[in-house]
Amino acid sequence: WIKESKYTVVLTGAGMSTESGIPDFRSKDGLWHKKKPPKLSSKKALVADYGGYVDSYKEGMKNRPNYKPHQGYEILAGWEDKGLVESIITQNVDDLHVAAGSRNLYRLHGSLFEFKCNDCSTPAIKDHFLDKIPCEVCGGRLRPTIVYFGESLPKEELYDSIEEMKKAELVLIIGTSLVVSPVKKFPQLTQGKTVYINNETKEDDFDLVFIGRAGEILEDVNKKLGAI
Ligand code: NAD
Ligand code: ZN
C-alpha cells in the first residue's frame, strides 16, 4: 500500500513518543492513570499564578532527560525524503518529528518549544518567556504555543491537515487513542485506506490494524519495504 499510494499522510499521537520515554495520557502507564494531569497542562496556572507557571515549565525542562526521536521517527522522516510520505499531522507537542527531520509537518496542538503572547498571539522568544518579560506588542503574558483544553486549534494547521486527509490515498494512524476532537473524526475525512498502529485495540472501521509498539512496527515495515 505504501508503494502504491500516491499520497500518504501520517497522523500521530502521544503513543508515538512513549518509546522515546515520554508518557502518553491514556494508556495504562499514561499520566492520567497516575495522579492528576501535570501542572504544565493547566491553563488555570497561567492565569492565576503566572510566576509558578513559568517556574514549573523551567523545572519540567530541567528534570526531563534529553528525549530523542526513536527509530520510528527517523523512518517516517526518511519516507518523506523518499517521496513515500507527503505529510505528517501530529497531536504531539514534543517536537520529536522536528528533531527527526520531518518537514511537511502540521502540529495541531502547538509546541512546548515555541512561544507566543497569550493575549495577542504575537510570536515570542524562549528567553523572554523564561525571564517573564511581557509581550512587546501588548504587554500580555508569554507562553508556549501548546493548545490547552478549551482552546481552539491553530486555524491554518487545522485547515491544511483537513485538506491533507481529503487528498490522502493512504493514512497511517499511529499511537493515538482518537478520542480528542477534532482528530477523532479525521479518519472519516479520507477516501483512502486507513491503517491503525497502536499497542491497544480500538473498535473502528480501519482497513488494517497493527497491534504493537509503533517504533518496532515501523522498523519492520521499513525492512519489508526495502525488500520490495
Ligand atoms: P493518548 O494518550 O490519548 O493515546 C495514546 C495512544 O497510543 C493510546 O491508544 C495508547 O494505547 C497508544 N500507545 C502508547 N504507546 C504506544 C506505542 N509504543 N506504540 C503504539 N501505540 C502506543 O494520546 P493522543 O491520542 O495523542 O491524545 C492525547 C493528547 O495529549 C494530545 O492532544 C497530545 O497533544 C497530548 N500529549 C502529548 C504528548 C507528547 O507530545 N508526546 C504526551 C502526552 C500527551
Ligand atoms: Zn501580546
Side-chain angles (χ1 to χ4, degrees), residues 117 119-122 135 137-140:
C117 171
D119 295 337
C120 73
S121 295
T122 300
C135 168
V137 176
C138 77

Side-chain angles (χ1 to χ4, degrees), residues 1 3 7 17 28 54 61 65 67 71 73 79 86 88 103 122 146 179 181 184 188 194-195 200 205 222:
W1 289 355
K3 289 232 157 164
Y7 213 98
S17 292
K28 57 179 173 357
V54 177
M61 290 300 146
Y67 295 123
Q71 192 59 26
Y73 273 103
W79 287 355
E86 293 303 320
I88 298 179
R103 285 164 283 119
T122 300
I146 53 174
V179 299
S181 283
K184 66 176 182 189
Q188 296 157 30
T194 52
V195 179
E200 289 168 15
D205 195 16
N222 194 44

Side-chain angles (χ1 to χ4, degrees), residues 95-188:
D95 278 1
L96 291 187
H97 284 298
V98 178
S102 291
R103 285 164 283 119
N104 202 8
L105 180 66
Y106 301 97
R107 290 174 296 180
L108 286 176
H109 293 168
S111 165
L112 267 174
F113 306 100
E114 289 174 7
F115 303 87
K116 66 171 184 180
C117 171
N118 185 49
D119 295 337
C120 73
S121 295
T122 300
I125 59 170
K126 183 179 178 182
D127 285 347
H128 286 182
F129 166 69
L130 294 179
D131 292 341
K132 299 169 195 157
I133 295 172
C135 168
E136 288 169 343
V137 176
C138 77
R141 292 172 170 183
L142 304 184
R143 54 170 280 186
T145 61
I146 53 174
V147 176
Y148 292 113
F149 285 106
E151 292 186 326
S152 37
L153 271 57
K155 274 194 196 72
E156 220 169 289
E157 277 82 357
L158 180 58
Y159 178 84
D160 289 346
S161 51
I162 289 171
E163 290 305 303
E164 290 298 290
M165 290 301 296
K166 288 185 187 161
K167 279 193 250 174
E169 292 183 7
L170 174 65
V171 183
L172 310 179
I173 304 161
I174 310 176
T176 171
S177 58
L178 288 179
V179 299
V180 178
S181 283
V183 168
K184 66 176 182 189
K185 300 221 179 74
F186 272 31
Q188 296 157 30

